Amino acid sequence: MANPYHVPDQEKKAPLHSPDAESEISYDKGDLLSLESTDPALNAKMHLVNDAIDEIGFTPYHAKLFCLNGFGYATDSLLLLVQSIIATNAGNEFHPSFKRGLTVAVYVGMLVGAIFWGLSADIIGRRFAFNTSLLISSIFAIVAGASPNWIVLGLFTCLSAFGSGGNLVLDTAVFLEFLPSKRQWLLTLMAAWWGVGQLIAGLFAWAFLPNYSCKDPNNCPRSSNMGWRYVWFANGALVLVMSILRLTVIRLRETPKFLVGEGEDEKVVEVLQSIAQKYNRPCSLTLEKLTACGVTGAWNQERRGSVSAHAKKRYSPSEVLVHLRGLFETKKIGLSTSLIWLSWLLIGLAYPLYNVFLPSYLATRGAQFGADSDFITWRNYAIVNTAGIFGPVLAGGMCASGWFWGRRGTMVIGALVTMIFFFCYTQVRSESQNLGFNCAISFCLNIYYGTLYAYSPEVLPSAHRGTGNGISIGLNRVMGILSAVIATVADTNTPVPIYICAALYIVMAIVAAIFPFEPYGSRSS
């Protein structure tokens, strides 16, 4: 293989910091995509930026990102579950012809949001999308609680999901692009916030629905059925507070790895030096070191007539093609992208079949075991979601230690153990077993899911990370829409969805085992 750091002689400015001089160090430190035949100047600059980020280390700024980016995770799961939680009560009031309409609405919003915000993050930058998407989500979540009919409720649910679904694309990308390599496992741990969002949704449901819902579904006026509206108001207000904290506490600057792809060397140095100075950390990166690596995109322009990160006209259909082509730059990167997208398709069907319709599982099983009150149903729901928080905690520890094949091994274990519990769940014969197995499934499922959320941006090329991640999550949402159709024509109170989920997790484990890249011990590119 040709040296990926080779730069034509006319592009070399200073021998000390030339790509060839850095190549041996680069291989030793293991920049994940550095050995792929991609833009050598970009690879060399990315290596220097990774060096600088590692030199600065983990700071309070990263801790803020972990918490407030993590709430983006929480918002996505929170709003996904809110529509499921309130659908029955809202349906009793509005008597819709299509009872799964809110599920379709939320997944359509998340699908469009993931693709729109993912592309915009690669075209105009991470900062604008990061600051805007969560605010949009919170506003429409609050307004949804005042909906006068089922169609309007579906519209506001969709618009709220448009913001949260796009925000989820940015949370991992932004955090990763500031994160020191030794702490990249925190990206997996951050998925614990997904369980926090589920817990919040469950607690609000537990607080409001048993006490403020009508008992007769055939006679359910608004005045005696305010519980589902309170759930929307409470969740929307919480998201609004967090979106404001993002603007006031983090004050995000554009990520250095996005700026590298843009060729904005001076801004890259400015961003990293400002963090280092604020927290009294060393940072030896200089503009001279970056410019010595050559011109970003010159290699691709010579080969294809276009720069590496953008089309000649940035706001055009060809811009989308550039980012899609970048996700298949080499055979290995293309295989990786394809397998990631397949994994998201599979989990996109398995997860909603289990989790979106979990209330019906719990209610039906509870009725069989003599625990059919609303209070018990939502209490159990909160307990199950609490268990889900700790799956990513274990996954983060496994990723940090590199135990059993790093990220890929963690996903394989998570998928297979989840599959086992799915099959065992069909043998539940008591209320305590019902609750225990649901907790175990929630815990193990999030080991896989949390690791996949982190793995995807880690192995995607930085210049096209938003697009690749957006399409990944978009495919996930397509399958969520399909799950609503399945739930309409099938009986979700039977064990059939559980068998389907178990089979899908076997396939997911196989796909995880053949992923071509392993981020453990390497740095994201």
Side-chain angles (χ1 to χ4, degrees), residues 163-206:
S164 66
N167 183 263
L168 188 62
V169 177
L170 274 300
D171 293 323
T172 51
V174 168
F175 189 48
L176 175 64
E177 294 185 0
F178 280 103
L179 199 58
S181 59
K182 289 184 178 180
R183 301 293 184 97
Q184 279 182 204
W185 60 272
L186 287 173
L187 204 62
T188 301
L189 178 61
M190 194 168 73
W193 286 94
W194 179 271
V196 172
Q198 293 175 317
L199 175 61
I200 292 171
L203 289 176
F204 279 135
W206 190 12

Side-chain angles (χ1 to χ4, degrees), residues 79-102:
L79 293 179
L80 181 62
L81 291 187
V82 163
Q83 62 79 25
S84 175
I85 287 170
I86 62 92
T88 299
N89 298 84
N92 291 340
E93 182 177 332
F94 296 134
H95 303 290
S97 57
F98 181 46
K99 295 183 178 181
R100 301 291 179 184
L102 294 187

Side-chain angles (χ1 to χ4, degrees), residues 257-272:
K257 292 187 178 180
F258 173 79
L259 294 172
V260 168
E262 297 291 288
E264 299 282 357
D265 294 349
E266 187 173 352
K267 291 182 179 179
V268 172
V269 175
E270 180 185 345
V271 168
L272 292 174

Side-chain angles (χ1 to χ4, degrees), residues 220-343:
C220 193
R222 174 171 178 165
S223 58
S224 62
N225 194 43
M226 290 296 292
W228 69 267
R229 297 179 186 273
Y230 294 153
V231 171
W232 271 117
F233 292 147
N235 284 290
L238 183 60
V239 176
L240 178 61
V241 170
M242 297 308 296
S243 65
I244 294 173
L245 289 177
R246 278 192 169 189
L247 296 173
T248 56
V249 175
I250 294 182
R251 297 181 181 179
L252 183 74
R253 303 185 69 174
E254 193 53 79
T255 68
K257 292 187 178 180
F258 173 79
L259 294 172
V260 168
E262 297 291 288
E264 299 282 357
D265 294 349
E266 187 173 352
K267 291 182 179 179
V268 172
V269 175
E270 180 185 345
V271 168
L272 292 174
Q273 288 288 357
S274 67
I275 295 175
Q277 291 173 11
K278 182 175 182 180
Y279 298 104
N280 195 28
R281 300 295 178 86
C283 181
S284 57
L285 182 67
T286 63
L287 181 59
E288 290 74 20
K289 290 183 179 181
L290 287 177
T291 55
C293 297
V295 179
T296 301
W299 182 75
N300 273 31
Q301 189 159 6
E302 181 181 333
R303 295 176 70 230
R304 294 195 299 256
S306 66
V307 298
S308 60
H310 298 289
K312 292 180 180 179
K313 293 183 179 180
R314 183 172 296 199
Y315 302 101
S316 66
S318 58
E319 173 76 5
V320 178
L321 295 177
V322 167
H323 290 297
L324 288 173
R325 187 170 59 194
L327 295 170
F328 297 87
E329 189 73 37
T330 68
K331 290 182 179 180
K332 193 172 181 180
I333 292 175
L335 175 62
S336 175
T337 300
S338 299
L339 292 177
I340 288 172
W341 288 353
L342 175 59
S343 297

